[in-house]
PDB file of all heavy atoms in Angstrom:
ATOM      1  N   ARG W 399      -2.816  43.622  -5.830  1.00 74.00           N
ATOM      2  CA  ARG W 399      -4.213  44.067  -5.834  1.00 74.00           C
ATOM      3  C   ARG W 399      -5.159  42.873  -5.685  1.00 74.00           C
ATOM      4  O   ARG W 399      -6.178  42.957  -4.990  1.00 74.00           O
ATOM      5  CB  ARG W 399      -4.519  44.828  -7.124  1.00 74.00           C
ATOM      6  CG  ARG W 399      -3.809  46.169  -7.228  1.00 74.00           C
ATOM      7  CD  ARG W 399      -4.465  47.067  -8.275  1.00 74.00           C
ATOM      8  NE  ARG W 399      -4.461  46.469  -9.607  1.00 74.00           N
ATOM      9  CZ  ARG W 399      -3.474  46.597 -10.482  1.00 74.00           C
ATOM     10  NH1 ARG W 399      -2.397  47.319 -10.147  1.00 74.00           N
ATOM     11  NH2 ARG W 399      -3.555  46.043 -11.668  1.00 74.00           N
ATOM     12  N   PHE W 400      -4.804  41.753  -6.328  1.00 75.00           N
ATOM     13  CA  PHE W 400      -5.640  40.563  -6.204  1.00 75.00           C
ATOM     14  C   PHE W 400      -5.646  40.045  -4.768  1.00 75.00           C
ATOM     15  O   PHE W 400      -6.702  39.676  -4.239  1.00 75.00           O
ATOM     16  CB  PHE W 400      -5.136  39.477  -7.148  1.00 75.00           C
ATOM     17  CG  PHE W 400      -5.827  38.150  -6.965  1.00 75.00           C
ATOM     18  CD1 PHE W 400      -7.123  37.949  -7.418  1.00 75.00           C
ATOM     19  CD2 PHE W 400      -5.185  37.109  -6.290  1.00 75.00           C
ATOM     20  CE1 PHE W 400      -7.769  36.735  -7.228  1.00 75.00           C
ATOM     21  CE2 PHE W 400      -5.825  35.901  -6.103  1.00 75.00           C
ATOM     22  CZ  PHE W 400      -7.126  35.712  -6.569  1.00 75.00           C
ATOM     23  N   LEU W 401      -4.469  40.029  -4.137  1.00 73.00           N
ATOM     24  CA  LEU W 401      -4.387  39.541  -2.763  1.00 73.00           C
ATOM     25  C   LEU W 401      -5.176  40.440  -1.812  1.00 73.00           C
ATOM     26  O   LEU W 401      -5.874  39.961  -0.915  1.00 73.00           O
ATOM     27  CB  LEU W 401      -2.917  39.469  -2.327  1.00 73.00           C
ATOM     28  CG  LEU W 401      -2.103  38.317  -2.929  1.00 73.00           C
ATOM     29  CD1 LEU W 401      -0.625  38.484  -2.603  1.00 73.00           C
ATOM     30  CD2 LEU W 401      -2.606  36.975  -2.421  1.00 73.00           C
ATOM     31  N   VAL W 402      -5.059  41.749  -2.024  1.00 76.00           N
ATOM     32  CA  VAL W 402      -5.810  42.684  -1.175  1.00 76.00           C
ATOM     33  C   VAL W 402      -7.306  42.449  -1.351  1.00 76.00           C
ATOM     34  O   VAL W 402      -8.075  42.435  -0.379  1.00 76.00           O
ATOM     35  CB  VAL W 402      -5.435  44.140  -1.508  1.00 76.00           C
ATOM     36  CG1 VAL W 402      -6.385  45.112  -0.804  1.00 76.00           C
ATOM     37  CG2 VAL W 402      -3.997  44.428  -1.100  1.00 76.00           C
ATOM     38  N   HIS W 403      -7.712  42.245  -2.604  1.00 78.00           N
ATOM     39  CA  HIS W 403      -9.137  41.995  -2.870  1.00 78.00           C
ATOM     40  C   HIS W 403      -9.588  40.689  -2.217  1.00 78.00           C
ATOM     41  O   HIS W 403     -10.667  40.627  -1.601  1.00 78.00           O
ATOM     42  CB  HIS W 403      -9.365  41.929  -4.385  1.00 78.00           C
ATOM     43  CG  HIS W 403     -10.778  41.551  -4.754  1.00 78.00           C
ATOM     44  ND1 HIS W 403     -11.858  42.415  -4.588  1.00 78.00           N
ATOM     45  CD2 HIS W 403     -11.294  40.386  -5.272  1.00 78.00           C
ATOM     46  CE1 HIS W 403     -12.958  41.795  -4.976  1.00 78.00           C
ATOM     47  NE2 HIS W 403     -12.649  40.577  -5.398  1.00 78.00           N
ATOM     48  N   LEU W 404      -8.765  39.649  -2.327  1.00 80.00           N
ATOM     49  CA  LEU W 404      -9.108  38.354  -1.733  1.00 80.00           C
ATOM     50  C   LEU W 404      -9.261  38.456  -0.225  1.00 80.00           C
ATOM     51  O   LEU W 404     -10.228  37.949   0.362  1.00 80.00           O
ATOM     52  CB  LEU W 404      -8.031  37.322  -2.085  1.00 80.00           C
ATOM     53  CG  LEU W 404      -8.234  35.888  -1.593  1.00 80.00           C
ATOM     54  CD1 LEU W 404      -9.458  35.273  -2.253  1.00 80.00           C
ATOM     55  CD2 LEU W 404      -7.000  35.033  -1.867  1.00 80.00           C
ATOM     56  N   VAL W 405      -8.314  39.132   0.405  1.00 79.00           N
ATOM     57  CA  VAL W 405      -8.376  39.285   1.869  1.00 79.00           C
ATOM     58  C   VAL W 405      -9.564  40.149   2.265  1.00 79.00           C
ATOM     59  O   VAL W 405     -10.263  39.863   3.244  1.00 79.00           O
ATOM     60  CB  VAL W 405      -7.052  39.881   2.391  1.00 79.00           C
ATOM     61  CG1 VAL W 405      -7.161  40.181   3.886  1.00 79.00           C
ATOM     62  CG2 VAL W 405      -5.891  38.929   2.127  1.00 79.00           C
ATOM     63  N   SER W 406      -9.817  41.198   1.498  1.00 82.00           N
ATOM     64  CA  SER W 406     -10.924  42.103   1.828  1.00 82.00           C
ATOM     65  C   SER W 406     -12.258  41.375   1.761  1.00 82.00           C
ATOM     66  O   SER W 406     -13.129  41.553   2.630  1.00 82.00           O
ATOM     67  CB  SER W 406     -10.922  43.302   0.863  1.00 82.00           C
ATOM     68  OG  SER W 406      -9.729  44.040   0.982  1.00 82.00           O
ATOM     69  N   VAL W 407     -12.433  40.555   0.707  1.00 83.00           N
ATOM     70  CA  VAL W 407     -13.675  39.782   0.595  1.00 83.00           C
ATOM     71  C   VAL W 407     -13.820  38.841   1.788  1.00 83.00           C
ATOM     72  O   VAL W 407     -14.908  38.689   2.358  1.00 83.00           O
ATOM     73  CB  VAL W 407     -13.693  38.991  -0.729  1.00 83.00           C
ATOM     74  CG1 VAL W 407     -14.863  38.018  -0.754  1.00 83.00           C
ATOM     75  CG2 VAL W 407     -13.772  39.929  -1.919  1.00 83.00           C
ATOM     76  N   SER W 408     -12.721  38.198   2.180  1.00 83.00           N
ATOM     77  CA  SER W 408     -12.768  37.284   3.329  1.00 83.00           C
ATOM     78  C   SER W 408     -13.138  38.022   4.609  1.00 83.00           C
ATOM     79  O   SER W 408     -13.933  37.521   5.417  1.00 83.00           O
ATOM     80  CB  SER W 408     -11.410  36.600   3.501  1.00 83.00           C
ATOM     81  OG  SER W 408     -11.042  35.892   2.340  1.00 83.00           O
ATOM     82  N   LEU W 409     -12.581  39.212   4.779  1.00 83.00           N
ATOM     83  CA  LEU W 409     -12.849  39.965   6.005  1.00 83.00           C
ATOM     84  C   LEU W 409     -14.283  40.476   6.056  1.00 83.00           C
ATOM     85  O   LEU W 409     -14.875  40.564   7.138  1.00 83.00           O
ATOM     86  CB  LEU W 409     -11.868  41.142   6.115  1.00 83.00           C
ATOM     87  CG  LEU W 409     -10.394  40.762   6.312  1.00 83.00           C
ATOM     88  CD1 LEU W 409      -9.521  42.002   6.391  1.00 83.00           C
ATOM     89  CD2 LEU W 409     -10.206  39.909   7.554  1.00 83.00           C
ATOM     90  N   ARG W 410     -14.852  40.804   4.884  1.00 84.00           N
ATOM     91  CA  ARG W 410     -16.241  41.281   4.866  1.00 84.00           C
ATOM     92  C   ARG W 410     -17.209  40.177   5.293  1.00 84.00           C
ATOM     93  O   ARG W 410     -18.298  40.436   5.765  1.00 84.00           O
ATOM     94  CB  ARG W 410     -16.614  41.781   3.466  1.00 84.00           C
ATOM     95  CG  ARG W 410     -16.060  43.159   3.148  1.00 84.00           C
ATOM     96  CD  ARG W 410     -16.828  43.810   1.993  1.00 84.00           C
ATOM     97  NE  ARG W 410     -16.779  43.025   0.773  1.00 84.00           N
ATOM     98  CZ  ARG W 410     -15.824  43.155  -0.149  1.00 84.00           C
ATOM     99  NH1 ARG W 410     -14.836  44.042   0.030  1.00 84.00           N
ATOM    100  NH2 ARG W 410     -15.849  42.413  -1.232  1.00 84.00           N
ATOM    101  N   HIS W 411     -16.790  38.932   5.106  1.00 82.00           N
ATOM    102  CA  HIS W 411     -17.638  37.802   5.479  1.00 82.00           C
ATOM    103  C   HIS W 411     -16.974  36.979   6.589  1.00 82.00           C
ATOM    104  O   HIS W 411     -17.057  35.755   6.606  1.00 82.00           O
ATOM    105  CB  HIS W 411     -17.900  36.904   4.267  1.00 82.00           C
ATOM    106  CG  HIS W 411     -18.533  37.621   3.114  1.00 82.00           C
ATOM    107  ND1 HIS W 411     -17.796  38.255   2.140  1.00 82.00           N
ATOM    108  CD2 HIS W 411     -19.846  37.825   2.803  1.00 82.00           C
ATOM    109  CE1 HIS W 411     -18.614  38.793   1.250  1.00 82.00           C
ATOM    110  NE2 HIS W 411     -19.859  38.556   1.627  1.00 82.00           N
ATOM    111  N   SER W 412     -16.329  37.674   7.499  1.00 81.00           N
ATOM    112  CA  SER W 412     -15.525  36.984   8.517  1.00 81.00           C
ATOM    113  C   SER W 412     -16.361  36.058   9.398  1.00 81.00           C
ATOM    114  O   SER W 412     -15.967  34.916   9.660  1.00 81.00           O
ATOM    115  CB  SER W 412     -14.786  38.011   9.379  1.00 81.00           C
ATOM    116  OG  SER W 412     -15.722  38.884  10.009  1.00 81.00           O
ATOM    117  N   LYS W 413     -17.526  36.511   9.844  1.00 83.00           N
ATOM    118  CA  LYS W 413     -18.344  35.684  10.734  1.00 83.00           C
ATOM    119  C   LYS W 413     -18.882  34.465   9.995  1.00 83.00           C
ATOM    120  O   LYS W 413     -18.861  33.332  10.512  1.00 83.00           O
ATOM    121  CB  LYS W 413     -19.497  36.505  11.305  1.00 83.00           C
ATOM    122  CG  LYS W 413     -19.032  37.589  12.278  1.00 83.00           C
ATOM    123  CD  LYS W 413     -20.212  38.330  12.876  1.00 83.00           C
ATOM    124  CE  LYS W 413     -19.736  39.420  13.841  1.00 83.00           C
ATOM    125  NZ  LYS W 413     -20.873  40.183  14.409  1.00 83.00           N
ATOM    126  N   LEU W 414     -19.345  34.692   8.764  1.00 86.00           N
ATOM    127  CA  LEU W 414     -19.873  33.576   7.979  1.00 86.00           C
ATOM    128  C   LEU W 414     -18.775  32.553   7.697  1.00 86.00           C
ATOM    129  O   LEU W 414     -18.996  31.335   7.841  1.00 86.00           O
ATOM    130  CB  LEU W 414     -20.451  34.100   6.668  1.00 86.00           C
ATOM    131  CG  LEU W 414     -20.983  33.027   5.695  1.00 86.00           C
ATOM    132  CD1 LEU W 414     -22.124  32.256   6.338  1.00 86.00           C
ATOM    133  CD2 LEU W 414     -21.425  33.672   4.386  1.00 86.00           C
TER     134      LEU W 414
END
Side-chain angles (χ1 to χ4, degrees):
R399 292 198 301 272
F400 173 74
L401 286 171
V402 170
H403 175 72
L404 182 65
V405 174
S406 298
V407 171
S408 302
L409 294 179
R410 282 200 301 271
H411 303 89
S412 59
K413 292 183 180 178
L414 177 61

